[in-house]
Amino acid sequence: MPDSRPPAAATVSIIIPTYNEAAQIGALVAYLRAHGAAEASVEILVADAQSPDGTAGVAAAAGARVLQCPRKGRAAQLNHGARQASSQLLYFLHADTLPPPDFLAQIRQALADEKMGSGCFRLRFDYPHWFLRLSAWFTRFDMDLLRFGDQSLFVRAEVFWQAGGFREELLVLEDQEIIGRLRRHGRFRLLPLAVTTSARKYRENGVFRLQFTFGLLCALYYLRVPQPVLVRTYRRLIRQDKL
């Protein structure tokens, strides 16, 4: 539960869901520690889904606390990490995404206002394709339709649990679905800085092909197509998926 310390000193738990991320997780944890996460008020929790590639060992060696999740699935892993977190603020981050260098100060400042409950950063990709730059440009608009997990998510712990956490039955678009529920328990803040996320999936699948697939999945989701159908569509159309 949150304590009474000033917002500037708010504790932060960084929660990273992983599955077969041995090639990425060590560098990410080292980056986070180099930019403030090594301080006593911050913990790095890697919620690993029994990765067979040694992700857990790499993360632990880099300085993270590894949580072995009983269930695979990003929503379930994020909730598992949040249950083990001890901090006032939760920061959910993908294993292939780097937040801005002063991300901790930005998060603490954003949530210093008690009316603020949650928020995220804008997005940029690490691949200079014009269409990806255009897609990232649209993340400056505060619309739930444009909110995805790659942008990371910070939230007060009490707000996260008041909203009910991530819906674990959702394997697709669980990161977008939660935003509307979070807004009911506090204001949502879209910060002007951007996280940098890997475009590896775009390079593997083709930029336009993958963007079309994501658009199709969003449309089917808002048409209330059942999750099993969305998951089958995802697996059929996206190479190197980790669902």
Side-chain angles (χ1 to χ4, degrees):
M1 294 295 293
D3 59 34
S4 59
R5 284 184 291 179
T11 54
V12 180
S13 293
I14 305 171
I15 302 169
I16 308 166
T18 57
Y19 183 73
N20 286 349
E21 294 287 0
Q24 319 286 335
I25 193 63
L28 173 59
V29 173
Y31 174 90
L32 296 173
R33 288 177 59 82
H35 292 89
E39 63 186 67
S41 61
V42 183
E43 63 180 356
I44 303 173
L45 305 177
V46 171
D48 187 56
Q50 312 291 328
S51 297
D53 72 340
T55 295
V58 174
R65 176 184 167 200
V66 177
L67 307 173
Q68 290 295 346
C69 299
R71 177 181 169 191
K72 183 185 175 187
R74 195 152 55 202
Q77 291 172 240
L78 291 170
N79 282 346
H80 185 73
R83 291 187 194 101
Q84 303 300 316
S86 61
S87 303
Q88 298 165 291
L89 310 180
L90 307 177
Y91 183 45
F92 299 104
L93 181 68
H94 287 185
D96 60 356
T97 300
L98 296 179
D102 61 342
F103 72 100
L104 286 170
Q106 293 289 328
I107 290 170
R108 285 169 168 150
Q109 182 177 358
L111 296 181
D113 182 347
E114 293 183 357
K115 295 179 181 179
M116 292 293 173
S118 57
C120 71
F121 292 93
R122 296 180 187 177
L123 183 68
R124 78 163 58 93
F125 291 95
D126 63 358
Y127 184 57
H129 191 287
W130 71 268
F131 190 78
L132 293 183
R133 289 199 299 270
L134 177 64
S135 296
W137 183 84
F138 279 102
T139 64
R140 70 189 56 226
F141 298 110
D142 190 11
M143 300 170 57
D144 289 1
L145 183 63
L146 301 174
R147 299 283 76 83
F148 294 97
D150 285 334
Q151 293 173 250
S152 69
L153 173 69
F154 52 85
V155 56
R156 294 179 183 274
E158 72 270 25
V159 168
F160 179 75
W161 293 119
Q162 286 168 6
F166 288 95
R167 288 178 55 189
E168 297 187 12
E169 72 274 20
L170 301 184
L171 296 179
V172 177
L173 293 173
E174 79 294 327
D175 44 13
Q176 188 176 97
E177 185 278 334
I178 195 175
I179 302 300
R181 289 187 286 116
L182 291 176
R183 288 185 189 271
R184 298 172 198 154
H185 299 277
R187 294 179 183 173
F188 187 90
R189 178 78 182 275
L190 173 62
L191 295 181
L193 299 178
V195 300
T196 301
T197 194
S198 171
R200 56 180 174 168
K201 192 173 290 185
Y202 284 92
R203 294 195 297 268
E204 292 163 354
N205 289 271
V207 170
F208 298 111
R209 179 178 181 274
L210 185 60
Q211 195 63 42
F212 169 80
T213 300
F214 285 153
L216 174 63
L217 289 169
C218 284
L220 295 176
Y221 171 79
Y222 282 104
L223 289 172
R224 300 187 183 279
V225 171
Q227 279 283 310
V229 176
L230 295 182
V231 171
R232 287 198 298 271
T233 303
Y234 186 107
R235 288 173 172 162
R236 185 180 304 119
L237 297 179
I238 298 180
R239 306 185 191 104
Q240 303 296 322
D241 75 88
K242 295 185 179 183
L243 288 181

